[in-house]
Amino acid sequence: MGRHFEVRAASMAKTAAAKAKKYSRYGKEILVAAKSGVPDPEMNAALKKVIERAKANQVPADVIKRAIDKAKGGTNENYAPATYEGFGSGGAATIIIDCLTDNANRTIADLRACFNKSHAKLGVSGCVSFNYEHVGLISIAYEDEEAMMDALIMAEVDLKDIEVEDGQMTITVEPTDLNKAQDAIAELIPDVNFDIMEDTMLPNEYVELEGEDLKLFQRLVTLLDDVDDVQQVYHNVRNINDPVE
């Protein structure tokens, strides 16, 4: 089997790990939303919104059901949201980390270790977030900007921007209108597949890193992705996936 098998196995393992992380992230969000009210999406608007986002991001029904059942069973698991900000090596790269944690001391210790190993610096609240915009982000394979704009306006969605490139449409809306936009798009395109549908932070300006700074920032993002409490990582590095010699 040789090298080809090794590469394929590594790729499969990476994909499986990414899926497991995504399922865990949504599982926590659903649990928190379910415990914040009635564990029934028809009676809990927050829970319904999280479930709709999870489904749009291909989270399996059994993952969703397990999280709701856990909330119904009166689990002692309690997670609180926490956001951290910082700078990559050299200071040009910035990063925001959203967490759900049941132990803030453990979380900050884990994050600090990631930053230290990457020659990065944790900052205080607000030190970089002022350079980001909070948006609802949707990406689908679709090209008719005019039809999409009409559909979203008719649905009273607070639309920020629509861009089309290589057959892929990127839509940004007010975060509170994300589910409303999803419904309007599904009505316009009944068999739509949402490649991205998430509440996110977008930087106002991007930077491109080189050499050791890029390598260290890639290390930081990889290490953060392995921290169980980390839900989302936002940054302003455009060429994060570039190979480094």
Side-chain angles (χ1 to χ4, degrees), residues 19-177:
K19 283 184 178 180
K21 179 70 176 180
K22 180 170 70 173
Y23 298 165
S24 173
R25 176 165 62 87
Y26 275 105
K28 279 187 180 179
E29 284 192 49
I30 291 166
L31 177 62
V32 169
K35 291 191 70 174
S36 69
V38 181
D40 181 347
E42 297 308 315
M43 301 174 66
N44 183 333
L47 176 59
K48 185 175 182 178
K49 288 180 179 179
V50 177
I51 290 173
E52 287 176 348
R53 282 196 290 111
K55 288 179 177 178
N57 285 284
Q58 288 79 52
V59 176
D62 65 309
V63 173
I64 296 170
K65 183 177 184 300
R66 277 201 304 271
I68 295 175
D69 287 346
K70 189 181 288 187
K72 288 179 178 178
T75 176
N76 291 326
E77 289 183 47
N78 288 294
Y79 298 98
T83 299
Y84 303 90
E85 306 174 29
F87 302 87
S89 174
T94 61
I95 194 163
I96 300 174
I97 308 112
D98 280 346
C99 299
L100 278 177
T101 179
D102 58 355
N103 185 325
N105 290 332
R106 181 196 64 228
T107 301
I108 191 67
D110 288 346
L111 296 187
R112 187 170 286 116
C114 296
F115 275 75
N116 288 342
K117 291 175 182 177
S118 308
H119 297 185
K121 180 181 179 183
L122 264 174
V124 298
S125 178
C127 67
V128 304
S129 57
F130 69 93
N131 265 329
Y132 286 71
E133 185 178 11
H134 187 193
V135 301
L137 179 68
I138 296 171
S139 179
I140 57 173
Y142 191 67
E143 294 185 313
D144 192 336
E145 288 187 54
E146 188 173 342
M148 180 60 67
M149 189 175 296
D150 288 344
L152 294 174
I153 290 173
M154 287 295 291
E156 298 184 342
V157 172
D158 191 344
L159 177 64
K160 290 179 174 288
D161 192 27
I162 295 178
E163 292 183 359
V164 176
E165 185 175 350
D166 297 330
Q168 196 73 14
M169 179 176 287
T170 302
I171 304 159
T172 51
V173 302
E174 276 294 323
T176 51
D177 283 356

Side-chain angles (χ1 to χ4, degrees), residues 204-223:
N204 293 324
E205 294 182 358
Y206 286 88
V207 299
E208 292 197 6
L209 300 180
E210 297 180 352
E212 190 66 11
D213 285 342
L214 176 57
K215 185 176 180 180
L216 287 169
F217 198 77
Q218 289 172 332
R219 179 190 299 173
L220 174 61
V221 172
T222 299
L223 290 171

Side-chain angles (χ1 to χ4, degrees), residues 1-14:
M1 290 181 284
R3 179 63 180 164
H4 176 72
F5 172 78
E6 291 176 9
V7 171
R8 184 168 178 271
S11 177
M12 290 172 65
K14 186 176 181 180

